[in-house]
Amino acid sequence: MSERVDACAFDELTDGEVQLMTIARRKVALCRVGAEVFALEDACPHFGGPLSGGQLHTGRKELICPWHRFRFGLADGCSVTNPALAAKTFPVTVEDGRVYVTV
């Protein structure tokens, strides 16, 4: 069953950076790219690395795992490095200056 959670204020997220948050007992990497916010589970499907510690590429809208440099699309979690892998993503909405994540 999905739960829509008020994660934070939009202004708490720095453009071009990743922030680790615990949302409904799940570790989630929140990524802000301009006016968009993306949410990925904080575990690389390749080897479990912490995606929140990775590099955010805002131009390609990818999150790069810090352990083995696997690249994941922010919108769908699909790996550019290995198409057989995908990071779990969560729907995000921004309303009235708040970020809501459905987990």
Side-chain angles (χ1 to χ4, degrees), residues 13 18-22 26-30 40 42 50 52-53:
L13 301 174
V18 183
Q19 186 167 336
L20 174 63
M21 295 197 145
T22 300
R26 294 176 186 246
K27 293 196 181 288
V28 176
L30 284 181
L40 291 88
D42 190 40
S52 61

Side-chain angles (χ1 to χ4, degrees), residues 28 32 34 50 59 65 77-78 89 94 102-103:
V28 176
R32 179 176 166 193
C65 180
C78 291
T89 61
V94 178
T102 301
V103 293

Side-chain angles (χ1 to χ4, degrees), residues 4 36 53 60 70 84 90:
R4 185 173 185 248
E36 296 179 287
R60 292 190 308 250
F70 275 53
F90 303 101

Side-chain angles (χ1 to χ4, degrees), residues 1-55:
M1 185 164 155
S2 297
E3 176 183 3
R4 185 173 185 248
V5 178
D6 182 347
C8 64
F10 179 76
D11 291 342
E12 290 178 44
L13 301 174
T14 303
D15 189 12
E17 292 189 11
V18 183
Q19 186 167 336
L20 174 63
M21 295 197 145
T22 300
I23 301 172
R25 297 179 304 278
R26 294 176 186 246
K27 293 196 181 288
V28 176
L30 284 181
C31 308
R32 179 176 166 193
V33 179
E36 296 179 287
V37 179
F38 303 90
L40 291 88
E41 188 170 55
D42 190 40
C44 177
H46 171 241
F47 213 75
L51 290 178
S52 61
Q55 179 185 2

